[in-house]
Amino acid sequence: MADDFLIFRPDDVDLSRSPLRNGVAEPTHVLGAFNPGLARLPNGNLLLMVRVAEALRDPVDGAHARAVRWTPQGYVLDRHAVSGIDMDDPRQFALKDRNPRLLGLTSLSWLLPVELSKDGGAIVKVHYDKAIQPSASFMDYGVEDARISLVGGRWWMTVCGVSAERHCTAMYHSVNGLDYTLLGIVLDHQNKDMILFEGKPGGKYMALTRPLGECYFAYPEDSPWLGGPAINMAQSPDGLHWKPLDTPGIRARKGTSSTQRIGGGSQPVLTPQGWMLIYHGVEKQGAVGVYRSFWALLDKDDPSKILRLEDETPLLEANPALTDPIAHQLYLPTPVVFTTGVADAGDHYIAASGEADLACRITRISKERFK
């Protein structure tokens, strides 16, 4: 049995069952089926909550580019004059001469639950009837990058909601791992990559967060740290109301490849040594950067204490051999692997990742790797 493979690809999505059929008659295609949240279901099977980025086959219609937007009545197409936008990135366009930058997306993302076998090696069922689509104005341009954590017998799922109102983190909740209820916004504009710990350190919910922004300040020249986006932590009494910790979390270090940003990947899981998590580090290269997966170990009683930071040798890197059969669908200029969940499988972990912003990758990693 292979230990590193693609389990779900763009062509595995049946677009006749897409929520966008409620309003969008124009032909669409799957830009990517990737960045899946991962959870163990009550029946022992695994759940991938796959992000489906669905785009118009012809986004430009004459003198206008079109973006898909959700409304309570159905999906509509917004039109933007081509003369007023830059379209250098296949994932988005930018309005010219706007400060701060104003973006539009070439796709709209929704979430598709894909049930896998217990070992993650086979697809059991694709639950189109339980797909999650935008349902509020703060996510009318899409629901992205689910992360799922099992805490106290309940499944908590964070997503990134995209809209002109804000770019936020919203929370869903489930009692069975398959049917999710939206609870609303929990982190405001550009605070994303939120992932709950699978447990309650000190009796409180705890989560990784990653605020973004346009302004960062430099560390002293003799500091080991780089400035820029980093992983912070927050606590909550109820999973809905969050207070950031005063102490810094996981930061990019000078001399490593993570020169652009870092952010949370998998849900932190408790091991005998402490809380283990996989995170992504981005090396600045071109418009997108090179994404790799690294790991860290946090103190079991006080996760603000970082016991190990394995940020030099990647745990995972993009694997071009996996995407060779679907190379005609690649659209990113640089290698990307984006780990989004882990599941315990005895002597190893099953890690779920987005590969090349295109497909879902499963990797089995021995627990010896984390010692």
Side-chain angles (χ1 to χ4, degrees):
M1 183 182 294
D3 288 329
D4 196 17
F5 53 93
L6 298 186
I7 189 68
F8 199 77
R9 305 163 182 81
D11 290 347
D12 294 324
V13 181
D14 181 359
L15 286 181
S16 71
R17 305 183 70 177
S18 162
L20 269 64
R21 299 290 73 76
N22 180 22
V24 177
E26 285 81 351
T28 61
H29 71 108
V30 178
L31 188 66
F34 61 112
N35 292 5
L38 179 67
R40 182 79 68 180
L41 295 172
N43 64 4
N45 287 344
L46 293 174
L47 176 75
L48 287 182
M49 189 64 80
V50 179
R51 173 183 171 185
V52 178
E54 186 173 349
L56 295 173
R57 285 200 175 275
D58 298 308
V60 177
D61 179 22
H64 292 85
R66 300 173 296 173
V68 183
R69 177 169 54 87
W70 171 88
T71 74
Q73 293 74 40
Y75 291 88
V76 298
L77 301 180
D78 296 333
R79 296 166 63 83
H80 300 269
V82 171
S83 61
I85 62 175
D86 291 318
M87 299 189 69
D88 298 331
D89 190 321
R91 303 168 301 172
Q92 64 192 31
F93 56 83
L95 275 63
K96 292 180 178 178
D97 302 322
R98 297 301 298 264
N99 187 21
R101 293 178 72 207
L102 293 180
L103 303 177
L105 296 178
T106 60
S107 64
L108 182 142
S109 291
W110 49 279
L111 303 179
L112 180 60
V114 177
E115 188 172 348
L116 304 182
S117 57
K118 293 177 175 61
D119 63 1
I123 295 173
V124 173
K125 185 175 182 179
V126 182
H127 294 273
Y128 286 95
D129 59 320
K130 301 182 187 300
I132 294 174
Q133 62 177 310
S135 58
S137 62
F138 58 80
M139 52 176 61
D140 60 8
Y141 288 142
V143 185
E144 302 179 354
D145 294 353
R147 304 313 217 290
I148 306 174
S149 301
L150 180 61
V151 188
R154 298 292 184 265
W155 288 260
W156 296 77
M157 181 173 73
T158 61
V159 303
C160 182
V162 185
S163 74
E165 294 176 3
R166 59 183 101 195
H167 192 193
C168 63
T169 295
M171 184 74 74
Y172 287 81
H173 186 261
S174 175
V175 297
N176 61 14
L178 270 175
D179 299 281
Y180 285 85
T181 300
L182 177 62
L183 302 181
I185 295 173
V186 288
L187 295 180
D188 212 331
H189 186 59
Q190 288 206 291
N191 199 344
K192 50 186 294 192
D193 286 336
M194 182 187 192
I195 313 150
L196 272 66
F197 285 58
E198 288 208 324
K200 293 182 179 180
K204 293 183 178 180
Y205 291 91
M206 182 165 283
L208 309 176
T209 68
R210 207 282 303 279
L212 285 174
E214 292 191 349
C215 180
Y216 293 92
F217 294 93
Y219 282 98
E221 191 170 317
D222 59 354
S223 169
W225 308 112
L226 285 170
I231 300 171
N232 293 343
M233 300 182 200
Q235 285 182 330
S236 170
D238 57 8
L240 294 177
H241 303 86
W242 293 88
K243 181 195 178 301
L245 298 190
D246 295 339
T247 52
I250 299 173
R251 294 169 283 177
R253 291 196 301 178
K254 295 175 182 176
T256 68
S257 62
S258 301
T259 55
Q260 183 166 321
R261 65 165 68 102
I262 63 173
S266 70
Q267 69 275 44
V269 294
L270 190 58
T271 74
Q273 293 78 34
W275 294 96
M276 189 279 293
L277 65 102
I278 300 172
Y279 70 94
H280 61 266
V282 186
E283 180 181 1
K284 187 172 179 57
Q285 188 178 124
V288 177
V290 178
Y291 281 69
R292 303 178 177 93
S293 294
F294 301 90
W295 69 279
L297 189 70
L298 312 178
D299 185 83
K300 66 175 184 176
D301 298 315
D302 181 4
S304 68
K305 296 178 180 178
I306 301 170
L307 304 181
R308 290 182 67 176
L309 185 60
E310 296 293 330
D311 59 358
E312 294 184 356
T313 301
L315 182 68
L316 289 176
E317 296 189 79
N319 184 350
L322 297 180
T323 52
D324 275 349
I326 53 174
H328 61 286
Q329 295 175 307
L330 290 169
Y331 58 92
L332 291 184
T334 47
V336 171
V337 62
F338 193 85
T339 301
T340 44
V342 296
D344 195 314
D347 63 353
H348 66 279
Y349 289 110
I350 298 170
S353 306
E355 184 76 5
D357 275 12
L358 183 64
C360 295
R361 173 179 173 180
I362 293 291
T363 310
R364 299 187 179 100
I365 307 173
S366 171
K367 290 183 177 178
E368 293 295 319
R369 180 68 175 77
F370 301 97
K371 292 182 179 179

